[in-house]
Amino acid sequence: MILQALVDYYQRLLERRTEGLAPFGYSPEKISYEILLSADGGVVQVNDIRDNTGKKPQPRLMNVPQPEKRTVGIKSNFLWDKTSYVLGISATSKRADKEHAAFKSLHQEHLAGTQDAGLKALLAFLEAWTPARFAAPHFSEDMLDANLVFRLDGERTYLHERPAAQALRAQLLASQAEGQPPLAICLVTGEPLPAARLHPAIKGVSGAQSSGASIVSFNQESFASYGKSQGDNAPVSERAAFAYTAVLNHLLRRGEHNRQRLQIGDTSIVFWAEAADAQEAERAELLLADLLDDRPTDEQEAARIRSELEKVQKGRPLADIDPRLQEDTRMYVLGLAPNAARIAIRFWEVGTLGLFARRLAEHAADFHLDPRPWKTAPSAYRVVLATAPQYKDSASMDDAASQLVGELVRAVLTGRPYPRSLLANALMRMRSDGHVSGLRVAICKGILARERRLGINSDKEEIPVSLDKASTHPGYRLGRLFAVLEAVQRLALGKQINATIRDRYYGAASATPALVFPVLLRNAQNHLARLRKDKPAAAAGLEMDIREIVGGLADNFPRSLRIEDQGRFAIGYYHQQQSRFRQEDGADSGNTESTEDHIEETQA
């Protein structure tokens, strides 16, 4: 299914003549220099064709004959290659002479008898060239190990783009196919075609090998069956293998203009639309990119994305965002992660744009808290990052379970339950560092709200979005009580306090209330006695809150709380704490944020 969808997308892009996508037998490669040849094979000039717009020159992507898969053997590319093959000169290779001999032999064999002026010039160049001629003014050490192409002086097209060269390339591919085993039914197209022995490399997956990795490969005997070797175990034709790898490399290309690729943790996410025309597909892809990613480049873009998210969250039709958007536009989302020499499929989801928009709206509703602890809804990256240890109000993705990113995105796109380990990690971090941030609380709320909505847990009481004084759930009430007791301590001691009860007792209070709350309530009486002298009105209000909360609890504190109840504890704590901030600041609920939450969310 994945390979079929990729091959179909490749065909659509090829029909639209999409820039950067190569036809069968070619691939976009990084080229740095061109050698300009005279008709008799002399070197007229060597030009640097790299992109110099940035701080450092970058090679130019150019469609050239597909490179050979090299491991330890010597295999020459057709009409282009690096300097060790083309010129016999290298800064790293110790066998440049043999590599150049292979390049020369390949072209003398396949270009023999050609009548094309450009190809004849290349043959003459190879006949006369010796590594000793690598010197100024045409050549410099900056060229070493870079990829080179050829062009005939006075013409714009490169040698590999000339019709005669393309015809020879087609013959070369056909001759390679003739030497292959008998035809097999391609698992992608269903046609009897020669099966690809090795699939082209896929580049661009973060964390994978820089030379490329594979989704389909059989490089050990344990992976083979019935005496078959390599690609014969899962026959995919040469053309289909080329098509799906070419379009994946196109989707994974890096650059600010590629809005079809997102990097969230260790997962490289690519997505595309199937629509009647290119403009409709592009609009659908841009909307999905906005909804999945929360890292706008400027305030204007941030405001636009926020407006789109709010409309989607309210269940408004997509036409309200853009009249040209179609609800039934088919979307494909693929998550890839590195796995040594292979690429792992983290998730694969297919649906309509309207369906994905509704599921993203459900996700936003599940995570919604009042007051809202963020300006822009957090991405999966920020959610998982919140489960990492906090060091001086910052966190590193290296300390988070990166595989949770893929699991979370899959849950969002499918509407299935969030990974339970996300709740466990968030609670563990809050117990260990006492950092009860709005995002961590939203994780607890989102997981519990979704499980209740899907009928997974038996809790009858809804998960409150804002402070719910009518809630009788013991976990929620105990969280509220803990927040009030912390407020009593803060008001009584003021700046004299070094560590609040949250810093010392949050973990124990949320897990084993019976051991902690009696002690906290006795200590609170001492703080309240001090407050009655200095701030009698505040003391009266806090005492009223304590009586109201305790009055709704059982006669005895629970000995322990389940993991779900610990999540409700965090939610109750957050709601009560934010209610106090709102009362103190007199701010509107939609804009209220605690200082700690604001710092944590901004840096995340």
Side-chain angles (χ1 to χ4, degrees):
M1 180 62 181
I2 298 175
L3 301 189
Q4 289 174 334
L6 286 168
V7 170
D8 289 343
Y9 185 50
Y10 169 82
Q11 295 297 337
R12 291 197 301 274
L13 291 185
L14 208 60
E15 290 170 4
R16 296 171 189 166
R17 300 183 181 276
T18 302
E19 184 179 355
L21 198 67
F24 177 60
Y26 291 74
S27 67
E29 301 295 334
K30 297 177 180 179
I31 308 296
S32 298
Y33 297 90
E34 65 170 8
I35 297 178
L36 203 60
L37 298 178
S38 62
D40 60 0
V43 177
V44 177
Q45 193 172 340
V46 176
N47 297 323
D48 185 344
I49 59 174
R50 293 177 295 178
D51 181 4
N52 292 295
T53 56
K55 295 182 179 179
K56 185 179 179 181
Q58 295 295 328
R60 172 183 167 188
L61 279 179
M62 184 183 298
N63 285 337
V64 294
Q66 193 172 356
E68 297 288 340
K69 264 202 166 185
R70 295 168 179 158
T71 51
V72 294
I74 296 176
K75 295 180 180 179
S76 171
N77 294 329
F78 189 60
L79 298 177
W80 72 278
D81 217 316
K82 56 185 179 179
T83 57
S84 61
Y85 278 85
V86 176
L87 305 175
I89 297 292
S90 172
T92 57
S93 177
K94 297 180 180 179
R95 53 181 190 179
D97 54 337
K98 296 179 180 178
E99 291 171 345
H100 178 62
F103 184 84
K104 184 175 180 179
S105 174
L106 173 72
H107 290 82
Q108 287 178 334
E109 176 185 353
H110 291 285
L111 302 186
T114 182
Q115 298 302 312
D116 182 81
L119 299 182
K120 290 172 67 176
L122 176 60
L123 281 176
F125 165 79
L126 291 175
E127 189 65 35
W129 174 260
T130 62
R133 300 178 67 177
F134 186 86
H138 299 310
F139 301 96
S140 68
E141 292 188 357
D142 292 341
M143 296 177 59
L144 293 179
D145 298 317
N147 287 329
L148 314 175
V149 291
F150 294 91
R151 184 162 61 89
L152 190 63
D153 187 26
E155 298 190 4
R156 291 186 176 183
T157 58
Y158 295 99
L159 293 195
H160 62 269
E161 297 174 333
R162 298 172 73 89
Q166 292 178 343
L168 284 172
R169 175 63 176 165
Q171 292 175 14
L172 185 59
L173 291 173
S175 65
Q176 290 174 350
E178 290 175 2
Q180 291 181 349
L183 303 182
I185 300 299
C186 175
L187 296 178
V188 176
T189 65
E191 300 174 355
L193 294 167
R197 179 172 165 270
L198 297 174
H199 292 205
I202 298 167
K203 302 176 182 179
V205 175
S206 293
Q209 293 181 353
S210 58
S211 58
S214 300
I215 291 178
V216 181
S217 67
F218 302 87
N219 60 347
Q220 298 288 341
E221 288 186 8
S222 56
F223 304 149
S225 59
Y226 297 99
K228 298 181 183 296
S229 63
Q230 295 183 320
D232 292 333
N233 287 275
V236 176
S237 66
E238 289 277 2
R239 286 184 176 274
F242 173 84
Y244 89 79
T245 52
V247 79
L248 255 186
N249 285 327
H250 175 73
L251 289 167
L252 287 164
R253 70 193 186 281
R254 297 182 183 275
E256 59 179 346
H257 300 299
N258 182 14
R259 295 298 306 278
Q260 293 178 265
R261 180 189 194 278
L262 295 175
Q263 187 65 40
I264 305 180
D266 71 336
T267 305
S268 301
I269 301 174
V270 294
F271 48 90
W272 63 97
E274 182 180 339
D277 57 74
Q279 289 75 25
E280 181 183 331
E282 184 178 358
R283 286 192 292 270
E285 290 158 359
L286 287 175
L287 177 63
L288 190 61
D290 288 345
L291 297 178
L292 286 174
D293 194 15
D294 72 330
R295 285 167 280 186
T297 56
D298 53 45
E299 281 299 321
Q300 185 177 1
E301 186 181 0
R304 178 182 60 81
I305 294 174
R306 192 155 53 243
S307 174
E308 291 176 352
L309 284 169
E310 288 173 354
K311 290 177 181 177
V312 169
Q313 290 166 15
K314 292 176 181 177
R316 304 280 291 276
L318 296 181
D320 286 2
I321 298 174
D322 188 334
R324 298 167 296 178
L325 289 172
Q326 301 295 322
E327 296 267 349
D328 59 353
T329 299
R330 197 160 182 80
M331 303 295 300
Y332 301 85
V333 186
L334 176 62
L336 304 171
N339 183 21
R342 289 183 175 82
I343 296 172
I345 305 295
R346 275 284 165 82
F347 56 86
W348 165 246
E349 298 299 331
V350 181
T352 63
L353 181 62
L355 176 63
F356 284 141
R358 288 192 295 274
R359 287 174 175 170
L360 286 161
E362 290 173 354
H363 167 64
D366 289 335
F367 267 64
H368 179 59
L369 281 174
D370 185 19
R372 187 171 55 189
W374 50 68
K375 291 183 178 180
T376 304
S379 67
Y381 174 85
R382 283 172 60 196
V383 170
V384 173
L385 186 63
T387 65
Q390 298 288 324
Y391 301 112
K392 297 181 180 180
D393 293 323
S394 64
S396 170
M397 199 64 190
D398 295 337
D399 299 321
S402 57
Q403 73 274 9
L404 281 177
V405 175
E407 295 175 18
L408 178 59
V409 173
R410 180 168 51 207
V412 171
L413 294 176
T414 61
R416 292 197 287 262
Y418 298 113
R420 249 316 175 90
S421 53
L422 194 62
L423 175 62
N425 285 354
L427 292 173
M428 177 183 67
R429 292 305 175 198
M430 286 189 284
R431 288 197 302 266
S432 62
D433 59 26
H435 197 77
V436 190
S437 70
L439 186 47
R440 285 179 173 178
V441 174
I443 291 171
C444 300
K445 191 261 179 182
I447 292 172
L448 297 178
R450 176 161 294 201
E451 289 185 352
R452 182 184 179 279
R453 177 164 53 82
L454 296 176
I456 294 174
N457 62 42
S458 57
D459 285 343
K460 296 180 180 179
E461 188 174 304
E462 290 188 7
I463 312 298
V465 173
S466 58
L467 180 63
D468 182 9
K469 293 186 177 182
S471 172
T472 59
H473 195 285
Y476 186 79
R477 280 193 167 260
L478 288 170
R480 288 183 58 205
L481 179 58
F482 191 81
V484 173
L485 296 177
E486 183 187 24
V488 170
Q489 183 193 38
R490 284 182 180 275
L491 282 174
L493 301 182
K495 295 182 179 180
Q496 301 176 22
I497 189 170
N498 292 322
T500 68
I501 61 171
R502 184 184 69 178
D503 301 321
R504 294 181 176 179
Y505 297 108
Y506 181 88
S510 63
T512 55
L515 294 178
V516 177
F517 274 97
V519 177
L520 295 179
L521 285 170
R522 285 196 298 270
N523 291 339
Q525 294 305 314
N526 298 327
H527 298 318
L528 285 169
R530 181 171 180 175
L531 277 177
R532 291 188 194 102
K533 299 177 183 178
D534 302 334
K535 302 176 181 178
L542 290 169
E543 284 182 304
M544 188 181 300
D545 287 340
I546 292 173
R547 284 196 299 270
E548 179 264 320
I549 296 170
V550 174
L553 292 169
D555 293 338
N556 298 314
F557 290 109
R559 295 184 61 183
S560 63
L561 293 179
R562 300 177 306 154
I563 187 171
E564 296 88 356
D565 297 337
Q566 292 178 37
R568 292 211 185 223
F569 183 100
I571 298 168
Y573 172 84
Y574 176 81
H575 284 160
Q576 188 68 42
Q577 182 194 51
Q578 294 299 316
S579 176
R580 179 175 65 84
F581 287 139
R582 182 161 43 192
Q583 291 171 2
E584 290 178 356
D585 298 339
D588 181 76
S589 61
N591 296 323
T592 302
E593 298 180 71
S594 75
T595 303
E596 294 161 319
D597 289 337
H598 178 72
I599 292 173
E600 198 264 351
E601 301 303 336
T602 301
Q603 292 186 344

